[in-house]
Amino acid sequence: PEWLAPYLEVNGIWAVPGEDVRFLAFEKNETLLRSRYQSNNGGSGWYDEQLTDGEHTFDEIYHDVWEVFFTPSPPLAKAIRDEMDHLGLVPNEYSSAHIRALYSVSVRPLRMVENWVKNGVNCASNLRPGKPVFVASDHKHASRVVANYSKSLHWPIVTHASNPDPPVHLDKADNQLSRSPRDFYDTFIDLYLLSLGGCVTYNKGGYGSWGLIIGGNSECKHAWKRTSKGIQNPCNFTTASYQPPSGSSTERQPLFLEPME
């Protein structure tokens, strides 16, 4: 609308935040049907500012809301379960690491990717000492690093072999409308495997933290930072006696609610 255009132009290529749009609409006595904006915290900052005493925070309720409103289709749910069985993962019996290597770039030096993957694994081992580590990344070199690091540490560190590798990006994939839903399966398999461990470490972007809050254990996390000088406060691998899962990956307890009719 004409009344909004000057504000967007003043702010260059960036749109004003959603709450500002709402205030502007109120001042102009305009009816605003919907506003949409991207936030690195999923909107939790705005949501938590509206809370009254006794109400649960965004991170505390997100898992329950997600579980009710979003259930994987039966083929996707089966693919997630099959991959967990294949990797030997049991819900809440492992930790996860998400490595965002290609944030805003298309290439990275392989040595840099290797250092980031190893640091992510190390940080994840601190969250659940003695447990396996699952790794998801947007860089295809990560799977090779995971395999080599697992051998060198003699520790179960696993990753999902996606096709294509890395998985199709939800927002940036070409020809989205003409793609088959199965083209996006690997993206959701990684997301749910991140979440089902219950503890997540992550660096850049919102994918890893998204998996964390879907999992419902939002306090079990570690966000590490990288700078032009390297990794800030790098993690060391926590050496502990391996603790076998208390359950079995083959025990077919439902991972998800049944799809609604």
Side-chain angles (χ1 to χ4, degrees):
E2 293 182 1
W3 62 266
L4 184 58
Y7 294 95
L8 299 182
E9 291 170 359
V10 167
N11 287 276
I13 63 173
W14 303 105
V16 292
E19 57 267 28
D20 291 347
V21 173
R22 286 191 295 273
F23 288 131
L24 290 171
F26 177 77
E27 292 173 0
K28 299 294 182 180
N29 196 27
E30 297 282 351
T31 299
L32 183 67
L33 296 180
R34 182 177 68 175
S35 65
R36 179 182 179 184
Y37 66 101
Q38 184 175 359
S39 164
N40 62 359
N41 59 20
S44 61
W46 178 86
Y47 181 91
D48 290 343
E49 288 176 359
Q50 317 305 312
L51 296 178
T52 58
D53 291 342
E55 290 186 311
H56 292 289
T57 66
F58 181 94
D59 287 352
E60 290 171 340
I61 68 168
Y62 192 92
H63 165 75
D64 294 326
V65 174
W66 177 272
E67 187 177 42
V68 170
F69 281 91
F70 299 97
T71 297
S73 64
L76 176 57
K78 181 180 184 302
I80 295 169
R81 167 61 82 177
D82 289 348
E83 186 64 9
M84 291 195 73
D85 291 348
H86 172 68
L87 297 176
L89 299 176
V90 175
N92 296 312
E93 294 281 351
Y94 63 96
S95 57
S96 303
H98 178 244
I99 314 300
R100 185 75 160 95
L102 298 178
Y103 189 87
S104 299
V105 298
S106 57
V107 294
R108 288 283 189 194
L110 297 186
R111 175 61 68 180
M112 182 180 293
V113 175
E114 179 178 352
N115 291 339
W116 289 353
V117 171
K118 289 181 177 179
N119 188 70
V121 170
N122 293 347
C123 294
S125 75
N126 297 336
L127 295 177
R128 278 220 170 102
K131 294 294 185 180
V133 176
F134 168 74
V135 178
S137 177
D138 62 347
H139 199 293
K140 60 184 180 181
H141 183 59
S143 58
R144 188 179 308 161
V145 176
V146 167
N148 292 337
Y149 203 36
S150 178
K151 289 179 182 179
S152 67
L153 294 175
H154 304 288
W155 199 261
I157 308 168
V158 297
T159 189
H160 166 57
S162 62
N163 184 20
D165 185 12
V168 177
H169 197 289
L170 288 177
D171 293 332
K172 299 179 180 179
D174 295 330
N175 305 317
Q176 285 192 347
L177 297 180
S178 62
R179 285 181 176 271
S180 165
R182 290 185 178 275
D183 291 347
F184 297 93
Y185 274 19
D186 287 321
T187 304
F188 285 98
I189 290 173
D190 272 350
L191 179 65
Y192 274 104
L193 263 58
L194 284 171
S195 71
L196 288 166
C199 293
V200 184
T201 181
Y202 48 89
N203 57 342
K204 201 76 171 176
Y207 189 77
S209 56
W210 188 20
L212 172 72
I213 58 177
I214 288 175
N217 189 19
S218 60
E219 295 300 316
C220 192
K221 63 183 177 182
H222 179 82
W224 55 275
K225 296 181 179 181
R226 64 197 197 215
T227 68
S228 58
K229 297 181 179 180
I231 298 170
Q232 191 176 67
N233 300 320
C235 299
N236 294 318
F237 188 84
T238 296
T239 303
S241 298
Y242 177 67
Q243 300 176 20
S246 58
S248 170
S249 62
T250 59
E251 292 177 358
R252 291 283 175 171
Q253 299 177 355
L255 291 177
F256 313 107
L257 298 177
E258 291 293 325
M260 292 186 289
E261 296 293 336

